[in-house]
Amino acid sequence: MSPGTPSPETQGRRTPGADLPDHPDRLWRSAEPKRAYDVVIVGGGGHGLATAYYLAKNHGITDVAVLERGWLAGGNMARNTTIIRSNYLWDESAGIYEHALKLWEGLEEDLGYPLLFSQRGVLNLAHSLQDVRDSVRRVNANRLNGVDAEWLTPEQVKEVCPIVDVSPDVRYPVLGGTYQPRAGIAKHDYVAWGFAKAAADLGVDMIEHCEVTGLDVRDGRVTGVQTTRGPIAAGKVALAAAGHSSVVAGYAGVSLPLQSHPLQALVSELLEPVHPTVVMSNAVHVYVSQAHKGELVMGAGIDAANSYRRRGAFHIIERQMSAALELFPVFARAHVLRTWGGVVDVTPDASPVVGLTPVEDLYVNCGWGTGGFKATPGVGWCYAHTVATGEPHPLNAPFSLDRFTTGKLVDEHGAAAVAH
Amino acid sequence: MLLIACPWCGPRDEAEFHYGGQAHVAYPEDPAALSDEEWARYLFFRDNPEGLFAERWSHTAGCRRWFNAVRDTATNEIHAVYRAGEPRPVIA
């Protein structure tokens, strides 16, 4: 029996989650590395896969390999809390995140693959007078940039998400919140599989269990990569290695303004639908949604100390849980099913680095910190343009490496919504 | 959670400490003489190794003093702690 066929016993009675789509056995071909490619992408996560897809689709570049040291999309793409929104403060951020959101809105059709993209809205709560001022300012900035945003009173917050405690006698009372109705969640694995399948169908090689151990640089130009599966020559090399970007870029002598930290998340057991939207709180460091299957999905802040261990400190989880319980008293009897961590690469201004490097034909996409998932299609689109043309796309031009020299930072600590 | 041996107080939970990032980054002797690239490097670029890393900690819930540690960021094992002003110990 193929995996897509319901067994006779289950036909006719649908259990929660049974409307999740089934999958064919193989979505892409796991390729053997060739000796040379026009473009080698280092990192088979969401960003690497989306970049490969748009290189092939938008630019006709199909002699492309995606190298992944583990299994495809097993890093932060498998570990994030799948929140999608574009309500950042600055024009530069609105440009790239809103481009991503618009792509999300047509992505299932474009990839021909279900992504469970659900525009259930995102609430960002304010708990202090300063939070309120910053939030209202951000709503106004969003609107000027054509990004949907509303300021909600505590009563309106309660209408959108009835399980939020908006009573005034708690330690951090809810004084209101910003709301982006077009924001939401998607199923992260399906997003990765959708991009991988679509890219593979266009001729891109997916090469798993292939760790990059060196970058070949000759006369200031990258010519290939050294891997655990042998050397691979490359016309261009595009890094998309997230938490390990500093290590990989270091092989070419390129320094990046990154610090790698563990970031944790957790899920509850499956519960009936209680949480209709996504709630984030910058001040108390928690963000919660309910997955299609029914788990409450919660994220925490990063561990303060640098680490490449995919395991964070327990007191971070404790703080996250206490914050979640105060906001959602109904969670008190939920059980944690599992917790996990990933390694995120954080920049000084909480904005990414996407563009050229001092080494010719070597490109970098990193520094997305705690919020890279939402950008997946947008950055894939722009990074592919950058790699294909050798010039930054207008939407990622502000996120160049040299902004740290010019001083033209894009400070998104307020809107990044996770403690950095 | 890390167990960090404060050089003055002994081993305590990580939650008692505040992290200070890379150690031994000296303030430039003559900041005005730096190029934009050199100033950017001082302000924004820090080492980010997967391996041994000399870093600063402050025992905020204890003696409130700063000190340094050498920790392996791949394993979180702390190889040495030493007082501010002391040189980075050589780890075999």
Side-chain angles (χ1 to χ4, degrees), chain A residues 85-162:
Chain A
R85 61 190 174 91
S86 62
N87 56 351
Y88 283 69
L89 177 65
W90 299 106
D91 298 354
E92 295 86 350
S93 313
I96 195 161
Y97 288 110
E98 178 61 17
H99 178 56
L101 182 48
K102 288 204 168 76
L103 288 172
W104 279 112
E105 288 174 326
L107 199 57
E108 294 188 326
E109 291 78 10
D110 185 36
L111 297 177
Y113 198 78
L115 306 175
L116 298 188
F117 177 55
S118 163
Q119 290 178 291
R120 57 183 62 188
V122 168
L123 274 168
N124 290 79
L125 301 181
H127 299 275
S128 67
L129 188 55
Q130 190 60 46
D131 267 359
V132 172
R133 289 177 181 139
D134 292 345
S135 301
V136 171
R137 177 190 180 201
R138 190 156 51 79
V139 164
N140 291 330
N142 291 159
R143 287 184 172 176
L144 287 172
N145 278 313
V147 174
D148 59 319
E150 300 165 31
W151 169 253
L152 302 187
T153 63
E155 295 70 32
Q156 290 169 314
V157 167
K158 188 89 178 165
E159 281 169 31
V160 171
C161 189

Side-chain angles (χ1 to χ4, degrees), chain A residues 352-377:
Chain A
V353 176
V354 188
L356 316 185
T357 72
V359 176
E360 209 174 330
D361 294 329
L362 178 67
Y363 301 90
V364 67
N365 167 50
C366 65
W368 290 90
T370 59
F373 176 75
K374 67 177 73 67
T376 300

